[in-house]
Amino acid sequence: AMNAKYGEPTREHWESDYTRSSCASAGCGQNLSFLGRHHCRKCGQLFCSECLSGKFQRRLNVRAEFAPRGVFCKVCHACFVEDN
C-alpha cells in the first residue's frame, strides 16, 4: 500500500465556501461567484479563479505541509513563495 503520508492533502483545514464573499488574495477583492471560488490546498483560504489558476504549485503531504515527495497541488501566491 502506498504510504498515506504522500496522498492528496486533507480538506479538513479548508474554510467553508460561505466564509468570505471576496477573494482572499491581498489587493484582489474580486467577488467570489459560487462557481468561481477555489481553495488553496495549503492554507485552505478561498480565492478567485484568476488568483488560484493552478499556475502556482507546491508539493504537499496529506497534512498540507510542504514535502519534497508530496503531491503537486495548486496553491495561492503567498503559499507559493513561503519557505519550506
Side-chain angles (χ1 to χ4, degrees):
M2 191 178 139
N3 188 338
K5 193 175 162 189
Y6 293 109
E8 290 280 337
T10 178
R11 298 180 176 204
E12 291 172 18
H13 64 296
W14 285 15
E15 57 185 20
S16 158
D17 283 343
Y18 306 101
T19 302
R20 63 179 75 245
S21 58
S22 59
C23 181
S25 188
C28 176
Q30 183 167 311
N31 189 54
L32 298 175
S33 65
F34 189 72
L35 293 173
R37 58 184 68 219
H38 305 274
H39 288 90
C40 170
R41 302 313 195 248
K42 171 73 176 136
C43 69
Q45 294 187 93
L46 287 163
F47 297 87
C48 71
S49 53
E50 288 175 32
C51 289
L52 203 69
S53 64
K55 67 181 174 182
F56 299 121
Q57 299 204 357
R58 292 290 298 268
R59 286 182 179 267
L60 303 175
N61 65 18
V62 292
R63 293 186 302 274
E65 299 163 336
F66 296 127
R69 293 174 54 201
V71 177
F72 276 111
C73 299
K74 64 180 182 178
V75 296
C76 67
H77 182 260
C79 288
F80 180 72
V81 297
E82 191 178 315
D83 289 337
N84 286 341

